[in-house]
Amino acid sequence: MKLIHQQSGILKRVAYALCLANMIGLAVGCASAPPVRYYSLQPQLQSSTVTGDAPIGLQIALPQIPESVDRPQLMVRDPAEPQLMYALNADRWAGSVADEIGQTLSFYLAGQLGAINVQNLPVVPGSLPVWTVQSNVQQFELMPGHSALLDVVWTLKPPSGTRASWICQTRISVPVTQKDAASVVDGQQQAIRLLANEIARKINPGVVAADNAMQASVQTRACRES
C-alpha cells in the first residue's frame, strides 16, 4: 500500500511539472508573437468630393476575386521574385478582400457621380435611373517597395432600355516607394479610386478626371458596347 501511495505521488508531481511546462511554453509563445495589425481599403475619413449632379442610383455587385488573394492575411509579392506570393501573418484585412474592394469602389463611384448606392434597397421602377456595376478582378497585387497592381474586367449596365451596356478592362499600377504594409495598402486604395473614375466617366463624360499625383499608370482597353 505504501508503494502505491509513493507511485501515485510521483505521478502527480510529474503531471504537475508537465502542466507547468506547457503553461510556460504557451506564455513564452504568446509573448514572442508579433501583434496583429488590421488594414482596410476604405478611406479613414468617410467623405468624398461630389462631382456629379444627376440623380442616379448605383447597384454594385460583390467583385469576383482570384482565390490566391482571398485570404485574411495580406498576400504580397517580392519585387525581386515576383513569381512567388507569401502571406504576412501579422498583417490582415479588416474584412474580406471582396467586401473591401466592393465597398471602396462604391464609396468613390458614388462620390464622383453624386449617386446613391441602392444595393439591397427597394427602388420603385421609374423613380430613379439605376446603373449596375459588375467586376471581375484579374489581378490584385501587393508589392511593398515597388507597386500596387489592379487589373479588373468590369461591366456597366445602364438603366433598363436607355442604352447599350459596356464591357471594359482597366489595368492600374500605382508606384509604392515604402516597404511597409500600410503604404502598399494605400496604393491599392488609390488604384480603386482611379478605377472608379474610369467607370464614372463612362456613366457621365462630364465627370472630372481623377487627380493622379502619384503618377499611376491607368490603361482602360478592350472597351466595347454589348
Side-chain angles (χ1 to χ4, degrees), residues 104-124:
T104 305
L105 179 61
S106 174
F107 171 78
Y108 283 121
L109 194 52
Q112 293 179 26
L113 289 165
I116 302 170
N117 186 348
V118 298
Q119 188 73 23
N120 300 322
L121 296 177
V123 178
V124 177

Side-chain angles (χ1 to χ4, degrees), residues 43-191:
Q44 291 184 357
L45 298 177
Q46 291 293 308
S47 62
S48 181
T49 302
V50 176
T51 57
D53 55 6
I56 64 172
L58 293 173
Q59 284 189 337
I60 301 177
L62 188 69
Q64 298 179 12
I65 63 172
E67 186 178 348
S68 58
V69 300
D70 191 13
R71 301 285 189 276
Q73 303 92 341
L74 270 63
M75 303 300 295
V76 302
R77 295 187 187 275
D78 185 342
E81 296 180 294
Q83 72 278 11
L84 300 178
M85 179 179 286
Y86 59 94
L88 299 181
N89 290 319
D91 297 300
R92 306 192 176 198
W93 295 109
S96 73
V97 177
D99 281 338
E100 288 287 329
I101 295 173
Q103 291 172 13
T104 305
L105 179 61
S106 174
F107 171 78
Y108 283 121
L109 194 52
Q112 293 179 26
L113 289 165
I116 302 170
N117 186 348
V118 298
Q119 188 73 23
N120 300 322
L121 296 177
V123 178
V124 177
S127 63
L128 185 71
V130 177
W131 292 76
T132 301
V133 181
Q134 297 175 322
S135 56
N136 189 319
V137 178
Q138 307 294 299
Q139 288 182 282
F140 180 86
E141 307 287 357
L142 304 173
M143 288 188 280
H146 185 271
S147 63
L149 175 65
L150 182 66
D151 194 323
V152 180
V153 175
W154 49 275
T155 302
L156 182 61
K157 296 181 179 180
S160 180
T162 58
R163 64 182 86 172
S165 300
W166 284 97
I167 299 177
C168 305
Q169 183 168 6
T170 299
R171 183 181 179 88
I172 301 171
S173 180
V174 178
V176 177
T177 58
Q178 301 298 318
K179 295 183 178 181
D180 59 291
S183 294
V184 77
V185 168
D186 182 67
Q188 270 295 353
Q189 182 189 106
Q190 297 307 313

